[in-house]
Structure formats: structure tokens, C-alpha cells
Amino acid sequence: MQLKLLWELQELDLSIKGLQLKIEEAPGLSGVQEVKEDLENLENNYAEKENRLKSARKELKQMEFEEQSIVETSNELKDNMYGGKVSNVKELEQMQRRLDNLADNKKQLEEKIINSMELIESLEEELGELGEKISRAREDLEIKEKQLADELDQYNREVERLQVQRDELTEKLDQKYLEKYLLLAQKYQGKALARVVDEICGGCRVFISSAQRGHLYNPSSMVYCENCGRLLVKLD
Ligand SMILES: [Zn+2]
């Protein structure tokens, strides 16, 4: 009877151990960490592009302002040249050169403005796409975190349930058996007991000697496998 209870205890302990391993491994298997890392990369990328967009918009504004001021300066020059106020030829020539220079500057500036506008447009597009990816990753993370929490909850409740069974069981066990079991369990990775089926030790697959077989039917005797040292139990 005690051996049968010990066997049940071993089964329970192995189940608890298995569940504890699942609890340990669940976060790694859940994919939560991977999604978190992906999300972080996406958010960093987004922040970096957002900064670039901000400075590109600022630069564009400055260039537009500069263009405006070139237009104003040119208009003033033209007014002075053609308004009849200046009649000195040399002075007029100088003014024309300035006007030409301003026109060149304006042309260069206009090219830069077009490039800047194109950059802004592509950054806006990239940010839009990144934003969508980020919200998808956030949804994915939420789902995976929920799944993991549910899974852990389920395992923990199962461990609690088995723990209650274990407590009930150990109360029925004699101290002598329990101590022996715990000692052997430590030595054999939780498998202190081995079932004997067809006269073979379930722990090491070696035949039980005929001398030992007789003792197996005595419920109060503790018989150990001569080969592996596990406590042998013969269940009906
Ligand atoms: Zn054995």
C-alpha cells in the first residue's frame, strides 16, 4: 500500500516538475520578447524619421523665406533701374549684374526646394507605413501577452491543484518511505521508483533476479533493483 502511494507521489511530483518546466519555458516560447524587440526597432526608426522630417520642413521654410527675399530684392532693383532714377550707365550695369546674380541664386534655391519637397513627401510616406507596422506590432504584442498570461495562469492553477493532492498523499505516507523516496528522487532525477513489468525493471530495463522476485510480493518489504538501485514497485 505504501509503495503504491509512493508511486502515486512520484507521478504527481513528475507532473508538477513538468508543469514548472513549462512555466519556465512559456515566456521564451510565447514570442513576446521577439515582438517587443521588433516594436522597439520600429519605434526607434519612426522617431528618427520623424526628426528628419521636422528638420526637413524647417529647412524648406527657411529656403522659401530666402526665395521670397530674393524676389523682393530683385523687384526693388528693377524698380530702381527702370524707374528713371538711375541714369549712370556704369551703375546700371552693376545693378544688372546683381540682378543676374540674384536670378542665379533663385534658380539654385528653387532646385533645392524641389529636392526638399520630394524628401518630405517620401519621409511622410515612410512614416505612414511605419505607423501602420507599429500599430500591427502593438496589437500582436497585446494578443501574445494575453495568451502567455492565460497559459501561465492555467499552469499555475494546475500546479496548485496537484500540490493539494500531494499534501493529502504525503499525510498518508510513513516518514520512513517518504524520506527514502526523497533521497532516491534526488539521485535519479525524480524517478526514485521503478515499476516492474514482465519481471523487468522499468528504470533500467534489466531482469529482476529470481531471488528478488519473491520479495516483490511482500507489500511491506522494500526491494531495490540490483542494477540501477531504484526502489521497485509491482502494481496490479
Ligand atoms: Zn533497475
Side-chain angles (χ1 to χ4, degrees):
M1 190 59 194
Q2 286 286 305
L3 281 177
K4 191 169 175 285
L5 291 178
L6 265 193
W7 178 259
E8 281 174 28
L9 180 65
Q10 175 166 296
E11 298 279 276
L12 269 177
D13 280 347
L14 289 173
S15 298
I16 291 171
K17 211 171 157 190
L19 282 165
Q20 281 163 342
L21 191 68
K22 279 184 180 175
I23 289 170
E24 253 173 61
E25 287 174 342
L29 295 172
S30 67
V32 165
Q33 196 50 39
E34 286 87 340
V35 179
K36 264 188 188 167
E37 278 165 21
D38 284 350
L39 183 59
E40 204 181 311
N41 283 337
L42 287 169
E43 283 170 341
N44 286 342
N45 200 352
Y46 191 94
E48 187 245 335
K49 285 212 160 72
E50 210 176 30
N51 277 337
R52 276 174 61 197
L53 179 61
K54 234 184 237 174
S55 50
R57 278 179 179 151
K58 200 174 158 191
E59 206 184 352
L60 176 62
K61 234 177 219 170
Q62 278 169 349
M63 288 191 292
E64 282 170 342
F65 184 75
E66 211 177 311
E67 188 193 23
Q68 187 57 35
S69 102
I70 288 175
V71 169
E72 279 163 17
T73 311
S74 300
N75 286 343
E76 271 171 40
L77 261 174
K78 279 181 202 161
D79 282 351
N80 286 341
M81 282 169 74
Y82 306 119
K85 284 179 199 160
V86 183
S87 52
N88 185 315
V89 176
K90 241 183 177 165
E91 211 178 320
L92 278 172
E93 277 174 358
Q94 249 176 12
M95 288 167 101
Q96 186 57 50
R97 272 200 296 277
R98 256 192 90 196
L99 206 55
D100 292 345
N101 267 338
L102 285 170
D104 280 349
N105 288 349
K106 187 168 174 270
K107 210 180 154 198
Q108 283 174 12
L109 201 55
E110 275 165 354
E111 263 173 48
K112 282 188 187 169
I113 285 173
I114 287 170
N115 288 340
S116 169
M117 281 172 159
E118 280 170 357
L119 174 67
I120 287 170
E121 201 179 318
S122 79
L123 281 171
E124 281 170 344
E125 206 174 302
E126 286 170 42
L127 277 169
E129 284 167 15
L130 271 174
E132 278 171 31
K133 279 186 189 168
I134 286 171
S135 44
R136 275 200 297 272
R138 281 188 185 142
E139 279 168 30
D140 193 18
L141 182 62
E142 207 177 309
I143 291 168
K144 285 201 161 66
E145 277 179 332
K146 171 95 173 60
Q147 278 172 346
L148 175 61
D150 287 349
E151 209 178 328
L152 287 176
D153 203 38
Q154 198 188 325
Y155 291 151
N156 281 315
R157 264 179 297 163
E158 183 65 4
V159 167
E160 268 174 50
R161 193 180 66 82
L162 295 179
Q163 201 66 50
V164 171
Q165 280 186 27
R166 190 188 192 277
D167 291 344
E168 286 168 2
L169 194 61
T170 49
E171 271 174 37
K172 293 183 212 159
L173 275 163
D174 291 347
Q175 198 59 26
K176 182 181 78 165
Y177 283 86
L178 191 58
E179 275 170 14
K180 196 76 206 174
Y181 164 75
L182 291 173
L183 206 71
L184 287 173
Q186 220 171 15
K187 196 169 162 190
Y188 297 103
Q189 284 84 41
K191 290 176 180 173
L193 279 73
R195 260 184 93 172
V196 177
V197 180
D198 295 334
E199 315 306 340
I200 291 171
C201 165
C204 67
R205 320 299 301 167
V206 163
F207 268 103
I208 307 299
S209 72
S210 49
Q212 281 191 306
R213 275 179 222 163
H215 295 296
L216 282 173
Y217 292 98
N218 178 353
S220 63
S221 67
M222 286 166 109
V223 184
Y224 300 92
C225 171
E226 282 175 328
N227 184 55
C228 71
R230 290 183 178 89
L231 183 55
L232 295 172
V233 52
K234 197 160 170 72
L235 303 171
D236 302 325

